[in-house]
Amino acid sequence: MLKSKSVLIGIGGGIAAYKVCEVISFLFQAGAEVRVILTETAEQFITPLTVATLSRHQAYTDHDFWQATHGRPLHITLAEWADIFLIAPLTANTLAKLTYGLADNLLTNTVIASRCPILLAPAMNTEMWEQATVQRNWQQLQDNPRYHSLSPGTGLLACDRLGSGRMAEPREIISSLQSLLYTQGTQDLKGKRIVISGGGTREHIDPVRFLGNPSTGKMGLALAEAASERGAIVTFIHGPIAPELLPLSPGYQSIAVVSAEEMEAAILSHFFDADIMIMSAAVADVKPIDYCDYKLPKKELPTNLQLEAVTDILAKLGEQKKNHQTLVGFAAQTGEIVKPALEKLKRKNLDIIVANPVDKAKAGFGSNNNQGILINKKEEQKTINSCSKLELSHQLLDFINHWRHSKIENG
Ligand code: CTP
């Protein structure tokens, strides 16, 4: 998704500038071309040498803006060159300038000269972020289709305040950039309610032992990020997920559960007003009949674990599904994938299923990549070769849109 793409980054003057170095390093390693503009105050936090070293290219500052050494005006050249423009950290000052169309430095002149999608990642002290003027400016930019936003999260800030204003994490910024490059900012799911399940469930024997599976939640999270980038109102219901994926973005609602029973309750309470439900969670099939609420000593552990079936959540949703709702399942398979996936699609009354091989290298549990065959009720198929889980998510969302449109056209 990033290979050979031209990514322009504007760094503002805030301590979160150091986190952008990680973004630059990742983008370069992923094969993107990266150019960086530092504002005058950004240079107080990180140096042009740092970003030039990471991006393998000269970093630009206001000093370059006023030099005639680049032939064509630098802000025009950079603006035309960029496929996408990230501004991070976005300070209160630059935010205000963007709101009013001011252009008094290299960064803001390049914004005005450019046409590509712009991703904004603000970072501020809580009082600054919550200031009425800052919030008014931020809201105004939300209504402008040129700008795409990564709202700041809540956490410990460099001013020792625990509150909102913390810049989105590098992982989230990178994911958003990739989504924007894929969609070019099209919000084709605007206002649609999508419920996504992800991660594995755990069925406890006692407080420290459980039956589980190796799911990390990466697939569900990629779906949640892709759908919210396309304008959907996303609810992400997930089992325990890998620590490196945390914190989750405040850009969608996330609900943490542990057992299949908790997941079922959370999904059923959100399914009734969902337009689309994507069940990517690795839900347990069975649970221990008995639960002990203290840690069982080794010698008391059962040698034969008595198990009972848990509800098949997806099958239950298939029974409740209304005509306007699109129900999507994942079929984690080894060996032959299409036939069993089709059988599951029919048995659970689904619209779409992802036949997902979990015995291939670079696919399935824990991997950053995935592959599969998308199949709809009419048995139309689309093969997705190994790609990032984010790209597979976008391909699946395209496939869902195609299905929903063809259903409307055919009444
Ligand atoms: N699923 C579910 N509730 C369960 C088990 C599975 O909602 N208790 C959902 C999964 O989230 C997935 C789909 O059903 O979207 C298919 O899951 P999978 O494990 O591939 O198939 P099963 O129906 O469990 O059948 P089998 O284990 O026999 O392959």
Side-chain angles (χ1 to χ4, degrees), residues 197 199 201 260 263 267 278-286 309-317 328-333 340 343-344 347-348 350 353-354:
S197 74
T201 59
M263 182 167 277
I267 290 177
I278 308 177
M279 194 76 198
S280 80
V283 189
D285 294 313
V286 289
V310 304
T311 309
D312 188 319
I313 305 170
L314 192 55
K316 197 164 179 178
L317 299 178
V328 183
F330 271 69
Q333 304 295 152
E343 184 276 319
K344 284 175 195 177
R347 176 162 48 91
K348 302 192 190 198
L350 311 181
I353 196 150
V354 182

PDB file of all heavy atoms in Angstrom, residues 197 199 201 260 263 267 278-286 309-317 328-333 340 343-344 347-348 350 353-354, ligand 1:
ATOM      1  N   SER A 197     -16.430  -7.829  15.045  1.00  0.00           N
ATOM      2  CA  SER A 197     -15.862  -8.573  16.178  1.00  0.00           C
ATOM      3  C   SER A 197     -14.450  -9.007  15.806  1.00  0.00           C
ATOM      4  O   SER A 197     -14.158  -9.239  14.632  1.00  0.00           O
ATOM      5  CB  SER A 197     -16.726  -9.785  16.529  1.00  0.00           C
ATOM      6  OG  SER A 197     -16.549 -10.802  15.567  1.00  0.00           O
ATOM      7  N   GLY A 199     -10.392 -10.676  17.522  1.00  0.00           N
ATOM      8  CA  GLY A 199      -9.652 -11.295  18.623  1.00  0.00           C
ATOM      9  C   GLY A 199     -10.253 -12.646  18.989  1.00  0.00           C
ATOM     10  O   GLY A 199     -11.259 -13.065  18.429  1.00  0.00           O
ATOM     11  N   THR A 201     -11.718 -15.476  21.937  1.00  0.00           N
ATOM     12  CA  THR A 201     -12.369 -15.496  23.255  1.00  0.00           C
ATOM     13  C   THR A 201     -11.640 -16.500  24.146  1.00  0.00           C
ATOM     14  O   THR A 201     -10.913 -17.366  23.650  1.00  0.00           O
ATOM     15  CB  THR A 201     -13.854 -15.892  23.142  1.00  0.00           C
ATOM     16  OG1 THR A 201     -13.940 -17.177  22.554  1.00  0.00           O
ATOM     17  CG2 THR A 201     -14.628 -14.879  22.327  1.00  0.00           C
ATOM     18  N   ALA A 260     -16.933 -16.139  25.240  1.00  0.00           N
ATOM     19  CA  ALA A 260     -17.881 -16.166  24.115  1.00  0.00           C
ATOM     20  C   ALA A 260     -19.236 -15.634  24.574  1.00  0.00           C
ATOM     21  O   ALA A 260     -19.919 -14.932  23.821  1.00  0.00           O
ATOM     22  CB  ALA A 260     -18.012 -17.593  23.597  1.00  0.00           C
ATOM     23  N   MET A 263     -19.110 -11.956  24.623  1.00  0.00           N
ATOM     24  CA  MET A 263     -19.106 -11.449  23.242  1.00  0.00           C
ATOM     25  C   MET A 263     -20.508 -11.524  22.644  1.00  0.00           C
ATOM     26  O   MET A 263     -20.973 -10.581  21.999  1.00  0.00           O
ATOM     27  CB  MET A 263     -18.100 -12.227  22.378  1.00  0.00           C
ATOM     28  CG  MET A 263     -18.043 -11.692  20.958  1.00  0.00           C
ATOM     29  SD  MET A 263     -16.641 -12.294  20.025  1.00  0.00           S
ATOM     30  CE  MET A 263     -15.339 -11.207  20.530  1.00  0.00           C
ATOM     31  N   ILE A 267     -22.536  -8.296  21.251  1.00  0.00           N
ATOM     32  CA  ILE A 267     -22.907  -8.239  19.825  1.00  0.00           C
ATOM     33  C   ILE A 267     -24.418  -8.129  19.670  1.00  0.00           C
ATOM     34  O   ILE A 267     -24.917  -7.297  18.903  1.00  0.00           O
ATOM     35  CB  ILE A 267     -22.353  -9.468  19.070  1.00  0.00           C
ATOM     36  CG1 ILE A 267     -20.833  -9.358  18.959  1.00  0.00           C
ATOM     37  CG2 ILE A 267     -22.983  -9.591  17.679  1.00  0.00           C
ATOM     38  CD1 ILE A 267     -20.149 -10.532  18.313  1.00  0.00           C
ATOM     39  N   ILE A 278     -19.559  -7.718  10.737  1.00  0.00           N
ATOM     40  CA  ILE A 278     -18.450  -8.567  10.273  1.00  0.00           C
ATOM     41  C   ILE A 278     -17.916  -9.347  11.466  1.00  0.00           C
ATOM     42  O   ILE A 278     -17.419  -8.775  12.435  1.00  0.00           O
ATOM     43  CB  ILE A 278     -17.315  -7.735   9.637  1.00  0.00           C
ATOM     44  CG1 ILE A 278     -17.866  -6.797   8.550  1.00  0.00           C
ATOM     45  CG2 ILE A 278     -16.249  -8.670   9.045  1.00  0.00           C
ATOM     46  CD1 ILE A 278     -16.823  -5.889   7.914  1.00  0.00           C
ATOM     47  N   MET A 279     -18.028 -10.651  11.357  1.00  0.00           N
ATOM     48  CA  MET A 279     -17.652 -11.518  12.483  1.00  0.00           C
ATOM     49  C   MET A 279     -16.271 -12.112  12.196  1.00  0.00           C
ATOM     50  O   MET A 279     -16.134 -13.164  11.579  1.00  0.00           O
ATOM     51  CB  MET A 279     -18.725 -12.611  12.561  1.00  0.00           C
ATOM     52  CG  MET A 279     -18.733 -13.397  13.807  1.00  0.00           C
ATOM     53  SD  MET A 279     -19.439 -12.506  15.199  1.00  0.00           S
ATOM     54  CE  MET A 279     -18.774 -13.508  16.514  1.00  0.00           C
ATOM     55  N   SER A 280     -15.218 -11.381  12.622  1.00  0.00           N
ATOM     56  CA  SER A 280     -13.873 -11.918  12.364  1.00  0.00           C
ATOM     57  C   SER A 280     -13.276 -12.538  13.623  1.00  0.00           C
ATOM     58  O   SER A 280     -12.149 -13.034  13.604  1.00  0.00           O
ATOM     59  CB  SER A 280     -12.950 -10.828  11.810  1.00  0.00           C
ATOM     60  OG  SER A 280     -12.459 -10.023  12.840  1.00  0.00           O
ATOM     61  N   ALA A 281     -14.028 -12.503  14.728  1.00  0.00           N
ATOM     62  CA  ALA A 281     -13.489 -13.051  15.982  1.00  0.00           C
ATOM     63  C   ALA A 281     -13.300 -14.557  15.890  1.00  0.00           C
ATOM     64  O   ALA A 281     -14.058 -15.243  15.203  1.00  0.00           O
ATOM     65  CB  ALA A 281     -14.431 -12.723  17.143  1.00  0.00           C
ATOM     66  N   ALA A 282     -12.287 -15.048  16.577  1.00  0.00           N
ATOM     67  CA  ALA A 282     -12.087 -16.488  16.710  1.00  0.00           C
ATOM     68  C   ALA A 282     -12.790 -16.900  18.000  1.00  0.00           C
ATOM     69  O   ALA A 282     -12.218 -16.834  19.085  1.00  0.00           O
ATOM     70  CB  ALA A 282     -10.601 -16.812  16.765  1.00  0.00           C
ATOM     71  N   VAL A 283     -14.063 -17.238  17.853  1.00  0.00           N
ATOM     72  CA  VAL A 283     -14.879 -17.544  19.031  1.00  0.00           C
ATOM     73  C   VAL A 283     -14.668 -19.006  19.413  1.00  0.00           C
ATOM     74  O   VAL A 283     -14.594 -19.874  18.538  1.00  0.00           O
ATOM     75  CB  VAL A 283     -16.384 -17.318  18.735  1.00  0.00           C
ATOM     76  CG1 VAL A 283     -17.205 -17.419  20.022  1.00  0.00           C
ATOM     77  CG2 VAL A 283     -16.611 -15.982  18.061  1.00  0.00           C
ATOM     78  N   ALA A 284     -14.636 -19.256  20.716  1.00  0.00           N
ATOM     79  CA  ALA A 284     -14.489 -20.642  21.179  1.00  0.00           C
ATOM     80  C   ALA A 284     -15.695 -21.450  20.721  1.00  0.00           C
ATOM     81  O   ALA A 284     -16.787 -20.911  20.536  1.00  0.00           O
ATOM     82  CB  ALA A 284     -14.428 -20.661  22.696  1.00  0.00           C
ATOM     83  N   ASP A 285     -15.493 -22.727  20.513  1.00  0.00           N
ATOM     84  CA  ASP A 285     -16.613 -23.604  20.171  1.00  0.00           C
ATOM     85  C   ASP A 285     -17.166 -24.287  21.410  1.00  0.00           C
ATOM     86  O   ASP A 285     -18.336 -24.642  21.466  1.00  0.00           O
ATOM     87  CB  ASP A 285     -16.154 -24.669  19.160  1.00  0.00           C
ATOM     88  CG  ASP A 285     -15.787 -24.022  17.825  1.00  0.00           C
ATOM     89  OD1 ASP A 285     -16.588 -23.190  17.346  1.00  0.00           O
ATOM     90  OD2 ASP A 285     -14.699 -24.318  17.286  1.00  0.00           O
ATOM     91  N   VAL A 286     -16.300 -24.463  22.406  1.00  0.00           N
ATOM     92  CA  VAL A 286     -16.718 -25.149  23.640  1.00  0.00           C
ATOM     93  C   VAL A 286     -16.180 -24.409  24.862  1.00  0.00           C
ATOM     94  O   VAL A 286     -15.234 -23.629  24.755  1.00  0.00           O
ATOM     95  CB  VAL A 286     -16.175 -26.609  23.667  1.00  0.00           C
ATOM     96  CG1 VAL A 286     -16.890 -27.488  22.669  1.00  0.00           C
ATOM     97  CG2 VAL A 286     -14.658 -26.626  23.446  1.00  0.00           C
ATOM     98  N   ALA A 309     -20.920 -27.091  24.514  1.00  0.00           N
ATOM     99  CA  ALA A 309     -20.872 -26.189  23.357  1.00  0.00           C
ATOM    100  C   ALA A 309     -21.265 -24.778  23.770  1.00  0.00           C
ATOM    101  O   ALA A 309     -22.091 -24.595  24.659  1.00  0.00           O
ATOM    102  CB  ALA A 309     -21.815 -26.697  22.280  1.00  0.00           C
ATOM    103  N   VAL A 310     -20.634 -23.765  23.149  1.00  0.00           N
ATOM    104  CA  VAL A 310     -21.084 -22.379  23.359  1.00  0.00           C
ATOM    105  C   VAL A 310     -21.988 -22.018  22.179  1.00  0.00           C
ATOM    106  O   VAL A 310     -21.974 -22.698  21.145  1.00  0.00           O
ATOM    107  CB  VAL A 310     -19.907 -21.361  23.465  1.00  0.00           C
ATOM    108  CG1 VAL A 310     -18.942 -21.750  24.560  1.00  0.00           C
ATOM    109  CG2 VAL A 310     -19.181 -21.214  22.140  1.00  0.00           C
ATOM    110  N   THR A 311     -22.736 -20.941  22.336  1.00  0.00           N
ATOM    111  CA  THR A 311     -23.628 -20.516  21.247  1.00  0.00           C
ATOM    112  C   THR A 311     -22.810 -20.181  20.011  1.00  0.00           C
ATOM    113  O   THR A 311     -21.758 -19.549  20.115  1.00  0.00           O
ATOM    114  CB  THR A 311     -24.390 -19.238  21.677  1.00  0.00           C
ATOM    115  OG1 THR A 311     -24.960 -19.482  22.937  1.00  0.00           O
ATOM    116  CG2 THR A 311     -25.451 -18.838  20.666  1.00  0.00           C
ATOM    117  N   ASP A 312     -23.292 -20.571  18.844  1.00  0.00           N
ATOM    118  CA  ASP A 312     -22.692 -20.095  17.595  1.00  0.00           C
ATOM    119  C   ASP A 312     -23.302 -18.716  17.333  1.00  0.00           C
ATOM    120  O   ASP A 312     -24.448 -18.589  16.892  1.00  0.00           O
ATOM    121  CB  ASP A 312     -22.998 -21.072  16.452  1.00  0.00           C
ATOM    122  CG  ASP A 312     -22.225 -20.710  15.194  1.00  0.00           C
ATOM    123  OD1 ASP A 312     -22.131 -19.498  14.890  1.00  0.00           O
ATOM    124  OD2 ASP A 312     -21.730 -21.628  14.523  1.00  0.00           O
ATOM    125  N   ILE A 313     -22.542 -17.669  17.651  1.00  0.00           N
ATOM    126  CA  ILE A 313     -23.075 -16.297  17.606  1.00  0.00           C
ATOM    127  C   ILE A 313     -23.520 -15.951  16.183  1.00  0.00           C
ATOM    128  O   ILE A 313     -24.601 -15.409  15.963  1.00  0.00           O
ATOM    129  CB  ILE A 313     -22.015 -15.272  18.091  1.00  0.00           C
ATOM    130  CG1 ILE A 313     -21.511 -15.660  19.484  1.00  0.00           C
ATOM    131  CG2 ILE A 313     -22.586 -13.867  18.105  1.00  0.00           C
ATOM    132  CD1 ILE A 313     -20.308 -14.866  19.969  1.00  0.00           C
ATOM    133  N   LEU A 314     -22.664 -16.278  15.227  1.00  0.00           N
ATOM    134  CA  LEU A 314     -22.953 -15.915  13.834  1.00  0.00           C
ATOM    135  C   LEU A 314     -24.227 -16.595  13.335  1.00  0.00           C
ATOM    136  O   LEU A 314     -25.051 -15.964  12.657  1.00  0.00           O
ATOM    137  CB  LEU A 314     -21.746 -16.301  12.957  1.00  0.00           C
ATOM    138  CG  LEU A 314     -21.716 -15.758  11.546  1.00  0.00           C
ATOM    139  CD1 LEU A 314     -21.827 -14.239  11.503  1.00  0.00           C
ATOM    140  CD2 LEU A 314     -20.424 -16.181  10.839  1.00  0.00           C
ATOM    141  N   ALA A 315     -24.389 -17.870  13.685  1.00  0.00           N
ATOM    142  CA  ALA A 315     -25.599 -18.586  13.266  1.00  0.00           C
ATOM    143  C   ALA A 315     -26.833 -17.921  13.885  1.00  0.00           C
ATOM    144  O   ALA A 315     -27.864 -17.783  13.227  1.00  0.00           O
ATOM    145  CB  ALA A 315     -25.501 -20.045  13.677  1.00  0.00           C
ATOM    146  N   LYS A 316     -26.702 -17.480  15.132  1.00  0.00           N
ATOM    147  CA  LYS A 316     -27.827 -16.806  15.803  1.00  0.00           C
ATOM    148  C   LYS A 316     -28.164 -15.483  15.103  1.00  0.00           C
ATOM    149  O   LYS A 316     -29.327 -15.139  14.922  1.00  0.00           O
ATOM    150  CB  LYS A 316     -27.438 -16.546  17.268  1.00  0.00           C
ATOM    151  CG  LYS A 316     -28.600 -16.230  18.160  1.00  0.00           C
ATOM    152  CD  LYS A 316     -28.167 -16.389  19.610  1.00  0.00           C
ATOM    153  CE  LYS A 316     -29.300 -16.059  20.554  1.00  0.00           C
ATOM    154  NZ  LYS A 316     -28.893 -16.247  21.949  1.00  0.00           N
ATOM    155  N   LEU A 317     -27.110 -14.743  14.695  1.00  0.00           N
ATOM    156  CA  LEU A 317     -27.328 -13.484  13.976  1.00  0.00           C
ATOM    157  C   LEU A 317     -28.008 -13.760  12.634  1.00  0.00           C
ATOM    158  O   LEU A 317     -28.868 -13.003  12.194  1.00  0.00           O
ATOM    159  CB  LEU A 317     -26.001 -12.745  13.742  1.00  0.00           C
ATOM    160  CG  LEU A 317     -25.213 -12.324  14.991  1.00  0.00           C
ATOM    161  CD1 LEU A 317     -23.906 -11.655  14.592  1.00  0.00           C
ATOM    162  CD2 LEU A 317     -26.043 -11.375  15.858  1.00  0.00           C
ATOM    163  N   VAL A 328     -21.496 -10.861   7.546  1.00  0.00           N
ATOM    164  CA  VAL A 328     -20.246 -11.374   6.968  1.00  0.00           C
ATOM    165  C   VAL A 328     -19.522 -12.255   7.987  1.00  0.00           C
ATOM    166  O   VAL A 328     -19.346 -11.852   9.139  1.00  0.00           O
ATOM    167  CB  VAL A 328     -19.317 -10.200   6.571  1.00  0.00           C
ATOM    168  CG1 VAL A 328     -18.041 -10.709   5.910  1.00  0.00           C
ATOM    169  CG2 VAL A 328     -20.046  -9.211   5.660  1.00  0.00           C
ATOM    170  N   GLY A 329     -19.091 -13.427   7.563  1.00  0.00           N
ATOM    171  CA  GLY A 329     -18.354 -14.317   8.457  1.00  0.00           C
ATOM    172  C   GLY A 329     -16.972 -14.631   7.902  1.00  0.00           C
ATOM    173  O   GLY A 329     -16.679 -14.348   6.729  1.00  0.00           O
ATOM    174  N   PHE A 330     -16.140 -15.176   8.758  1.00  0.00           N
ATOM    175  CA  PHE A 330     -14.818 -15.660   8.346  1.00  0.00           C
ATOM    176  C   PHE A 330     -14.811 -17.172   8.550  1.00  0.00           C
ATOM    177  O   PHE A 330     -15.287 -17.652   9.579  1.00  0.00           O
ATOM    178  CB  PHE A 330     -13.716 -15.040   9.218  1.00  0.00           C
ATOM    179  CG  PHE A 330     -13.186 -13.736   8.688  1.00  0.00           C
ATOM    180  CD1 PHE A 330     -13.980 -12.599   8.694  1.00  0.00           C
ATOM    181  CD2 PHE A 330     -11.881 -13.654   8.194  1.00  0.00           C
ATOM    182  CE1 PHE A 330     -13.490 -11.390   8.205  1.00  0.00           C
ATOM    183  CE2 PHE A 330     -11.384 -12.448   7.709  1.00  0.00           C
ATOM    184  CZ  PHE A 330     -12.184 -11.323   7.713  1.00  0.00           C
ATOM    185  N   ALA A 331     -14.287 -17.905   7.590  1.00  0.00           N
ATOM    186  CA  ALA A 331     -14.150 -19.351   7.773  1.00  0.00           C
ATOM    187  C   ALA A 331     -12.665 -19.673   7.824  1.00  0.00           C
ATOM    188  O   ALA A 331     -11.985 -19.679   6.788  1.00  0.00           O
ATOM    189  CB  ALA A 331     -14.827 -20.106   6.645  1.00  0.00           C
ATOM    190  N   ALA A 332     -12.164 -19.865   9.034  1.00  0.00           N
ATOM    191  CA  ALA A 332     -10.747 -20.215   9.198  1.00  0.00           C
ATOM    192  C   ALA A 332     -10.597 -21.691   8.856  1.00  0.00           C
ATOM    193  O   ALA A 332     -11.187 -22.540   9.524  1.00  0.00           O
ATOM    194  CB  ALA A 332     -10.334 -19.962  10.643  1.00  0.00           C
ATOM    195  N   GLN A 333      -9.867 -21.977   7.789  1.00  0.00           N
ATOM    196  CA  GLN A 333      -9.780 -23.357   7.309  1.00  0.00           C
ATOM    197  C   GLN A 333      -8.339 -23.794   7.105  1.00  0.00           C
ATOM    198  O   GLN A 333      -7.475 -22.968   6.810  1.00  0.00           O
ATOM    199  CB  GLN A 333     -10.488 -23.497   5.952  1.00  0.00           C
ATOM    200  CG  GLN A 333     -11.934 -23.061   5.921  1.00  0.00           C
ATOM    201  CD  GLN A 333     -12.854 -23.897   6.782  1.00  0.00           C
ATOM    202  OE1 GLN A 333     -13.855 -23.412   7.248  1.00  0.00           O
ATOM    203  NE2 GLN A 333     -12.492 -25.150   7.027  1.00  0.00           N
ATOM    204  N   PRO A 340     -15.896 -25.839   2.388  1.00  0.00           N
ATOM    205  CA  PRO A 340     -16.411 -25.669   3.752  1.00  0.00           C
ATOM    206  C   PRO A 340     -16.896 -24.246   4.030  1.00  0.00           C
ATOM    207  O   PRO A 340     -17.859 -24.053   4.789  1.00  0.00           O
ATOM    208  CB  PRO A 340     -15.220 -26.023   4.645  1.00  0.00           C
ATOM    209  CG  PRO A 340     -14.039 -26.197   3.772  1.00  0.00           C
ATOM    210  CD  PRO A 340     -14.493 -26.315   2.367  1.00  0.00           C
ATOM    211  N   GLU A 343     -20.354 -23.923   2.656  1.00  0.00           N
ATOM    212  CA  GLU A 343     -21.277 -24.673   3.521  1.00  0.00           C
ATOM    213  C   GLU A 343     -21.636 -23.814   4.740  1.00  0.00           C
ATOM    214  O   GLU A 343     -22.801 -23.718   5.130  1.00  0.00           O
ATOM    215  CB  GLU A 343     -20.597 -25.994   3.920  1.00  0.00           C
ATOM    216  CG  GLU A 343     -21.452 -26.957   4.738  1.00  0.00           C
ATOM    217  CD  GLU A 343     -21.425 -26.628   6.226  1.00  0.00           C
ATOM    218  OE1 GLU A 343     -20.331 -26.298   6.760  1.00  0.00           O
ATOM    219  OE2 GLU A 343     -22.500 -26.668   6.848  1.00  0.00           O
ATOM    220  N   LYS A 344     -20.630 -23.102   5.300  1.00  0.00           N
ATOM    221  CA  LYS A 344     -20.879 -22.245   6.470  1.00  0.00           C
ATOM    222  C   LYS A 344     -21.756 -21.049   6.085  1.00  0.00           C
ATOM    223  O   LYS A 344     -22.623 -20.637   6.844  1.00  0.00           O
ATOM    224  CB  LYS A 344     -19.558 -21.763   7.078  1.00  0.00           C
ATOM    225  CG  LYS A 344     -18.853 -22.850   7.872  1.00  0.00           C
ATOM    226  CD  LYS A 344     -17.483 -22.430   8.384  1.00  0.00           C
ATOM    227  CE  LYS A 344     -16.708 -23.655   8.839  1.00  0.00           C
ATOM    228  NZ  LYS A 344     -15.344 -23.380   9.282  1.00  0.00           N
ATOM    229  N   ARG A 347     -25.281 -22.494   5.867  1.00  0.00           N
ATOM    230  CA  ARG A 347     -25.791 -22.968   7.164  1.00  0.00           C
ATOM    231  C   ARG A 347     -26.081 -21.814   8.117  1.00  0.00           C
ATOM    232  O   ARG A 347     -27.047 -21.852   8.876  1.00  0.00           O
ATOM    233  CB  ARG A 347     -24.753 -23.933   7.775  1.00  0.00           C
ATOM    234  CG  ARG A 347     -25.104 -24.424   9.166  1.00  0.00           C
ATOM    235  CD  ARG A 347     -24.330 -25.684   9.555  1.00  0.00           C
ATOM    236  NE  ARG A 347     -22.892 -25.608   9.292  1.00  0.00           N
ATOM    237  CZ  ARG A 347     -21.995 -25.166  10.175  1.00  0.00           C
ATOM    238  NH1 ARG A 347     -22.388 -24.731  11.360  1.00  0.00           N
ATOM    239  NH2 ARG A 347     -20.701 -25.149   9.876  1.00  0.00           N
ATOM    240  N   LYS A 348     -25.251 -20.735   8.041  1.00  0.00           N
ATOM    241  CA  LYS A 348     -25.426 -19.633   9.004  1.00  0.00           C
ATOM    242  C   LYS A 348     -26.204 -18.453   8.390  1.00  0.00           C
ATOM    243  O   LYS A 348     -26.273 -17.386   8.973  1.00  0.00           O
ATOM    244  CB  LYS A 348     -24.056 -19.176   9.520  1.00  0.00           C
ATOM    245  CG  LYS A 348     -23.261 -20.310  10.179  1.00  0.00           C
ATOM    246  CD  LYS A 348     -22.048 -19.833  10.940  1.00  0.00           C
ATOM    247  CE  LYS A 348     -21.173 -21.008  11.366  1.00  0.00           C
ATOM    248  NZ  LYS A 348     -20.233 -20.690  12.432  1.00  0.00           N
ATOM    249  N   LEU A 350     -25.539 -16.363   5.812  1.00  0.00           N
ATOM    250  CA  LEU A 350     -24.684 -15.182   5.640  1.00  0.00           C
ATOM    251  C   LEU A 350     -24.850 -14.592   4.246  1.00  0.00           C
ATOM    252  O   LEU A 350     -25.338 -15.260   3.329  1.00  0.00           O
ATOM    253  CB  LEU A 350     -23.206 -15.572   5.832  1.00  0.00           C
ATOM    254  CG  LEU A 350     -22.855 -16.388   7.068  1.00  0.00           C
ATOM    255  CD1 LEU A 350     -21.355 -16.659   7.125  1.00  0.00           C
ATOM    256  CD2 LEU A 350     -23.305 -15.661   8.328  1.00  0.00           C
ATOM    257  N   ILE A 353     -18.843 -14.597   2.950  1.00  0.00           N
ATOM    258  CA  ILE A 353     -17.892 -15.272   3.840  1.00  0.00           C
ATOM    259  C   ILE A 353     -16.475 -15.121   3.285  1.00  0.00           C
ATOM    260  O   ILE A 353     -16.284 -15.051   2.059  1.00  0.00           O
ATOM    261  CB  ILE A 353     -18.263 -16.764   4.057  1.00  0.00           C
ATOM    262  CG1 ILE A 353     -17.503 -17.327   5.266  1.00  0.00           C
ATOM    263  CG2 ILE A 353     -18.031 -17.615   2.801  1.00  0.00           C
ATOM    264  CD1 ILE A 353     -18.225 -18.412   6.005  1.00  0.00           C
ATOM    265  N   VAL A 354     -15.512 -15.015   4.184  1.00  0.00           N
ATOM    266  CA  VAL A 354     -14.109 -14.974   3.787  1.00  0.00           C
ATOM    267  C   VAL A 354     -13.526 -16.355   4.043  1.00  0.00           C
ATOM    268  O   VAL A 354     -13.423 -16.772   5.204  1.00  0.00           O
ATOM    269  CB  VAL A 354     -13.324 -13.914   4.599  1.00  0.00           C
ATOM    270  CG1 VAL A 354     -11.865 -13.843   4.141  1.00  0.00           C
ATOM    271  CG2 VAL A 354     -13.988 -12.548   4.509  1.00  0.00           C
TER     272      VAL A 354
HETATM  273  N1  CTP B   1     -18.424 -18.234  15.063  1.00  0.00           N
HETATM  274  C1  CTP B   1     -19.337 -17.707  15.974  1.00  0.00           C
HETATM  275  N2  CTP B   1     -19.572 -18.338  17.161  1.00  0.00           N
HETATM  276  C2  CTP B   1     -18.947 -19.490  17.461  1.00  0.00           C
HETATM  277  C3  CTP B   1     -18.011 -20.037  16.550  1.00  0.00           C
HETATM  278  C4  CTP B   1     -17.774 -19.391  15.353  1.00  0.00           C
HETATM  279  O1  CTP B   1     -19.909 -16.649  15.711  1.00  0.00           O
HETATM  280  N3  CTP B   1     -19.190 -20.065  18.624  1.00  0.00           N
HETATM  281  C5  CTP B   1     -18.204 -17.531  13.782  1.00  0.00           C
HETATM  282  C6  CTP B   1     -16.756 -17.078  13.583  1.00  0.00           C
HETATM  283  O2  CTP B   1     -16.550 -15.792  14.119  1.00  0.00           O
HETATM  284  C7  CTP B   1     -16.640 -17.077  12.070  1.00  0.00           C
HETATM  285  C8  CTP B   1     -17.605 -18.159  11.638  1.00  0.00           C
HETATM  286  O3  CTP B   1     -18.474 -18.403  12.747  1.00  0.00           O
HETATM  287  O4  CTP B   1     -17.067 -15.859  11.502  1.00  0.00           O
HETATM  288  C9  CTP B   1     -16.952 -19.452  11.237  1.00  0.00           C
HETATM  289  O5  CTP B   1     -16.137 -19.911  12.271  1.00  0.00           O
HETATM  290  P1  CTP B   1     -15.262 -21.218  12.114  1.00  0.00           P
HETATM  291  O6  CTP B   1     -14.518 -21.453  13.393  1.00  0.00           O
HETATM  292  O7  CTP B   1     -14.497 -21.184  10.842  1.00  0.00           O
HETATM  293  O8  CTP B   1     -16.349 -22.324  11.889  1.00  0.00           O
HETATM  294  P2  CTP B   1     -17.323 -23.093  12.848  1.00  0.00           P
HETATM  295  O9  CTP B   1     -18.714 -22.631  12.542  1.00  0.00           O
HETATM  296  O10 CTP B   1     -16.902 -22.981  14.265  1.00  0.00           O
HETATM  297  O11 CTP B   1     -17.181 -24.568  12.285  1.00  0.00           O
HETATM  298  P3  CTP B   1     -15.910 -25.601  12.364  1.00  0.00           P
HETATM  299  O12 CTP B   1     -15.181 -25.287  13.646  1.00  0.00           O
HETATM  300  O13 CTP B   1     -16.562 -26.918  12.371  1.00  0.00           O
HETATM  301  O14 CTP B   1     -15.074 -25.359  11.150  1.00  0.00           O
END
